[in-house]
Amino acid sequence: MNTLKYIVSSILGGACFLGLFGGCQSLDENPAGTLVADSYFSTEEDLDAALTGVYAQLASNRWGGLGHTNIWVPLMGADDLTSQAGKPDYVQFDTFNPSSTNDGLKAASWTAPFRVVFAANNLLNNVDNMTIAESAKTKAKSEARFLRAWSYFWMVRVFGEIPLQLDNTMNYNLPKSPIKEVYTQIIEDLQYAIDNLPDELPASVGRPCKMSAKGVLAQVYLMMAGYPLNETDKYALAAKEAKDVIDSGLFYLLENFADLWKWDSDGNPEILWAIIFCNFNDCGNQNMNTFTGLNTQPSEENGWDQVFCEIGFFNRFPEGPRKDATYLTLFTSRTDGAQTPWQESTFKHPFLAKYRDGMVPNEPNYSGSDHMGGRDLNYLRFAEILLIYAEAQTMADGSPNAMAYDCVNKIRRRAGLEDLPAGLNQTAFRNAVIDEKGWEFCGEYCRWFDLVRTEKVEEMNQYKDADDLKPQGSIDKSKYFAPIPYTEVLLNPALGD
């Protein structure tokens, strides 16, 4: 155990050079490289500790990283979420007026993913020097490459061209790589993971298996098929990867949509992969998150009003059990129990209900903290795989087949909706899938990216309600990607080119 603690602290302490902790040179100030010693690994225990260090970066910053509402900052240009004027990090993107000094953008979409990349690189560039079983090396490399691929996939969708760092050398002059080159590396990493990860489900949804890697690869191909690469041959590849996941039989839809969001439902059979936080009150705050709780609750319930829901999207959302489980529309005071409809509340918008379970005092499932939780961030659900197949098959073949219809209708039936009408053409069916995906994943992590790749950002922003925030000026494709943080450009001017 002492060796394990030493290795983990060495990895994280070495990363102190990258700003993992206060008082060290910040990763915010140096995304392009790091200095890592080559003598960390000698035993399988050491390697396990190094891999633990990679996973640790996913949950390392509850007040700014992937475990914070900052994860939604660059996604606010979609039509599902919004914020209030006192929260400029979110409002900048909601009104298409982003700043390169946006702290929320930098913390969750630049610093946090690069932490994962550097920890993964540290393992990948040292593991082959070890004299241990090849099977142990391959397992560690497979998971590290999956995590590196996911991190770069997040960043390339948010920023477009980014520096592609694959080694441990300090480099203040690393230029941005073309988007295509970044995707090529993502595919290479994911394909290695697919070829070497186990077929069976892991003990935790925080660990990838072959099919969860295929699910992410299906996302990647679907994104590549649209803007900005427009490589339409990737639709067939996305459909194939999604079908493999479906045919595996490892995952299925829960019968009730509301059950997905219960405190005790983390790790349910609909989740392909999640970022795991700590569900125990004594696990230490560093391993918890703040995208639940007060950050996403209304001030009428003592919340902090950081992220809530757009009215236009809410009004278009089909009625039924899915809508009921997605939105909080009646706010209950914690002091006197007075109830306020969202139309009469301080900010006059509905709020998300998805992340409330376990966070509301006096409820039987209360976890013990109303501002910090341990809920998993369920990044990839089986419902998305079904919808990826439906869209990708239709776009590849020119019209939807029976399986595509079945995939969408399974989700609609759970939502209390009728099946899609038969005989839809390619365009009508695809539009129906995009709409369905928006409703199914409201307040999750794919709506903005779907609008970008389908070039529907401008169209959907026309449907805002009069009380929703409006874009400042016109929207064009120059607004599809976030600016690279200003502090990074100061240190490496090549990032500003």
Side-chain angles (χ1 to χ4, degrees), residues 12-83:
L12 301 182
C16 207
F17 184 81
L18 301 170
L20 289 167
F21 304 104
C24 307
Q25 181 171 338
S26 175
L27 175 60
D28 300 349
E29 300 173 350
N30 175 33
T34 177
L35 298 177
V36 179
D38 293 327
S39 58
Y40 288 158
F41 313 135
S42 59
T43 68
E44 288 192 25
E45 184 183 37
D46 294 349
L47 184 57
D48 287 341
L51 185 58
T52 298
V54 185
Y55 282 100
Q57 305 317 308
L58 292 168
S60 65
N61 186 357
R62 66 200 181 281
W63 293 121
L66 297 169
H68 186 266
T69 48
N70 281 341
I71 192 172
W72 286 306
V73 166
L75 313 183
M76 298 297 282
D79 53 351
D80 56 344
L81 297 179
T82 189
S83 188

Side-chain angles (χ1 to χ4, degrees), residues 69-135:
T69 48
N70 281 341
I71 192 172
W72 286 306
V73 166
L75 313 183
M76 298 297 282
D79 53 351
D80 56 344
L81 297 179
T82 189
S83 188
Q84 45 117 335
K87 307 294 181 182
D89 284 2
Y90 308 96
V91 171
Q92 285 177 12
F93 281 86
D94 200 12
T95 59
F96 294 87
N97 189 35
S99 168
S100 62
T101 60
N102 188 303
D103 289 335
L105 170 72
K106 180 175 64 175
S109 289
W110 185 272
T111 303
F114 265 120
R115 282 173 172 163
V116 179
V117 166
F118 285 127
N121 287 347
N122 179 61
L123 184 154
L124 293 167
N125 291 317
N126 284 285
V127 63
D128 286 331
N129 297 324
M130 300 178 68
T131 55
I132 61 172
E134 287 300 318
S135 59

Side-chain angles (χ1 to χ4, degrees), residues 20 68 74 173 254 292 360:
L20 289 167
H68 186 266
N173 301 302
L254 298 191
T292 58
V360 181

Side-chain angles (χ1 to χ4, degrees), residues 82-254:
T82 189
S83 188
Q84 45 117 335
K87 307 294 181 182
D89 284 2
Y90 308 96
V91 171
Q92 285 177 12
F93 281 86
D94 200 12
T95 59
F96 294 87
N97 189 35
S99 168
S100 62
T101 60
N102 188 303
D103 289 335
L105 170 72
K106 180 175 64 175
S109 289
W110 185 272
T111 303
F114 265 120
R115 282 173 172 163
V116 179
V117 166
F118 285 127
N121 287 347
N122 179 61
L123 184 154
L124 293 167
N125 291 317
N126 284 285
V127 63
D128 286 331
N129 297 324
M130 300 178 68
T131 55
I132 61 172
E134 287 300 318
S135 59
K137 294 182 185 181
T138 299
K139 176 182 180 297
K141 288 193 289 186
S142 299
E143 294 187 46
R145 293 188 74 165
F146 172 89
L147 295 173
R148 183 171 70 180
W150 178 85
S151 299
Y152 272 124
F153 185 42
W154 183 269
M155 289 188 288
V156 76
R157 288 180 294 172
V158 171
F159 296 101
E161 294 184 349
I162 51 175
L164 189 59
Q165 177 70 44
L166 301 176
D167 58 33
N168 299 336
T169 59
M170 175 62 72
N171 187 348
Y172 287 107
N173 301 302
L174 189 68
K176 292 183 292 187
S177 293
I179 292 173
K180 173 66 174 179
E181 186 176 327
V182 179
Y183 272 107
T184 298
Q185 182 61 48
I186 291 168
I187 293 170
E188 182 180 318
D189 279 348
L190 286 175
Q191 195 59 61
Y192 183 92
I194 290 167
D195 291 342
N196 294 285
L197 285 170
D199 294 329
E200 63 273 10
L201 289 175
S204 166
V205 295
R207 298 272 187 172
C209 66
K210 184 185 300 292
M211 289 301 151
S212 49
K214 277 183 168 286
V216 175
L217 185 56
Q219 287 184 314
V220 169
Y221 283 140
L222 188 67
M223 195 74 194
M224 294 177 73
Y227 185 86
L229 295 179
N230 295 313
E231 296 182 0
T232 55
D233 61 307
K234 297 300 191 294
Y235 283 122
L237 297 177
K240 176 187 178 302
E241 299 298 335
K243 189 175 186 300
D244 285 349
V245 176
I246 296 167
D247 291 345
S248 74
L250 293 175
F251 309 96
Y252 57 86
L253 296 180
L254 298 191

Side-chain angles (χ1 to χ4, degrees), residues 72 81 296 307 309 326-328 350-356 442-443:
W72 286 306
L81 297 179
T296 51
V307 174
C309 302
T326 297
Y327 290 107
L328 176 69
F351 276 65
L352 280 172
K354 288 181 173 179
Y355 309 112
R356 285 172 57 84
C442 174

Side-chain angles (χ1 to χ4, degrees), residues 302-323:
N302 293 351
W304 296 342
D305 298 310
Q306 283 204 354
V307 174
F308 40 89
C309 302
E310 290 203 3
I311 300 172
F313 191 84
F314 171 83
N315 288 338
R316 300 197 307 276
F317 200 116
E319 299 295 331
R322 180 172 59 187
K323 185 171 187 177

